[in-house]
Amino acid sequence: MKIVMVTACALFDADGRVLLAQRPEGKALAGFWEFPGGKLEAGETPEDGLIRELREELGITVKKECLAPLTFASHTYEDFHLLMPLYVCRRWDGTPVGAEGQALTWARPVRLRDYKMPPADEPLIPHLIDLVAG
Ligand code: C5P
């Protein structure tokens, strides 16, 4: 089965809330709320790919040293297997906007279950709850 590498980021604000982006119409899983990120391009490191995606999708600038690996998702979809490292970031330049027209929301980790998320993202929720509780 084809393995697809997607990097994702839990951006935390000063209030301990995490940013979710809604997948736009026309994409797979449209309407689902996800941790921002995206597919790695050939030859890209996970960090470089994530920094590029955060700039493209949210219009923010993130430094590599502000990305801390937290955990990863490994999930079999119908036609590919998704391997998705999740990073935590608490510091960036700019204000996140849905640069590709996506809706954004800030959610407390304990409330993440209220959002319809891709099946690969759901197992990540307890890690974020632990992170803010610990
Ligand atoms: O965002 P993009 O469509 O490039 O992502 C590729 C695939 O990875 C999506 O079709 C989706 O199935 C999966 N994905 C996911 N959770 C994310 C981002 C992507 O399950 N946070």
Side-chain angles (χ1 to χ4, degrees), residues 15-28:
D15 204 22
R17 297 174 308 169
V18 64
L19 188 69
L20 294 179
Q22 194 170 32
R23 292 179 64 83
E25 288 308 314
K27 268 197 167 184

Side-chain angles (χ1 to χ4, degrees), residues 6 23 27-29 34-35 38-39 77 80 82 84 118 120-121:
V6 170
R23 292 179 64 83
K27 268 197 167 184
L29 303 169
E34 68 179 11
F35 301 112
K39 272 191 204 130
Y77 282 109
F80 66 96
L82 178 79
M84 185 169 75
D121 297 47

Side-chain angles (χ1 to χ4, degrees), residues 2 7-8 11 19 28 47 50 52 57 64 70 77 119 124:
K2 186 176 154 62
T7 48
L11 289 161
L19 188 69
E47 292 79 12
L50 185 54
R52 175 185 52 74
E57 289 185 2
K64 210 175 288 190
L70 179 66
Y77 282 109
L124 303 172

Side-chain angles (χ1 to χ4, degrees), residues 48-122:
D48 287 343
L50 185 54
I51 288 167
R52 175 185 52 74
E53 289 282 354
L54 295 173
R55 182 174 297 122
E56 289 171 4
E57 289 185 2
L58 302 176
I60 60 170
T61 303
V62 175
K63 291 196 182 83
K64 210 175 288 190
E65 53 269 30
C66 295
L67 289 174
L70 179 66
T71 182
F72 65 94
S74 180
H75 182 85
T76 304
Y77 282 109
E78 214 168 285
D79 44 353
F80 66 96
H81 186 89
L82 178 79
L83 193 57
M84 185 169 75
L86 178 71
Y87 292 80
V88 169
C89 177
R90 301 178 187 275
R91 194 178 296 179
W92 57 85
D93 283 326
T95 302
V97 290
E100 296 172 347
Q102 50 318 17
L104 303 180
T105 193
W106 292 95
R108 300 207 173 280
V110 290
R111 311 252 38 152
L112 287 172
R113 295 243 176 252
D114 297 347
Y115 296 84
K116 193 172 63 166
M117 297 185 80
D121 297 47
E122 280 177 354

